[in-house]
Amino acid sequence: MTKTTIEKFDGGFTICNPYASKIKFTCLDGVVIELPELTLRMILTRLYCSYTRDICGLRGSAVSWLNYQFGVKKTYKFWQKAFKENGCFKALKIKEPKF
């Protein structure tokens, strides 16, 4: 039987929902990474919250999370360009902020 579980880790808890929709990314080296759609939407919103400055560390936290998930060390400009070029915003229907 499939059910939602709660896992404990150092700083708190994680709710694992087996029914959550996931998005698959295929990296250049062929590795496939699955990320929960709702988490990815939140991270992309944080990544694009402002073009001029990092508001309350939102952009920085998004970059840290993406670097951790993909096992790289990149900047916010890299991630913004990468998601914009691959059409992720159109697929998820996320609007970019206006200047």
Side-chain angles (χ1 to χ4, degrees), residues 13-62:
F13 298 91
T14 300
I15 298 173
C16 302
N17 182 356
Y19 301 106
S21 59
K22 297 189 178 195
I23 296 175
K24 292 182 182 180
F25 289 94
T26 304
C27 300
L28 292 175
D29 58 1
V31 175
V32 176
I33 298 175
E34 286 188 18
L35 301 174
E37 181 181 350
L38 291 177
T39 303
L40 187 60
R41 285 179 180 275
M42 179 191 68
I43 292 299
L44 290 177
T45 302
R46 287 181 175 191
L47 189 64
Y48 283 87
C49 66
S50 171
Y51 279 113
T52 56
R53 60 192 169 97
D54 188 4
I55 300 172
C56 300
L58 294 176
R59 192 169 62 193
S61 65

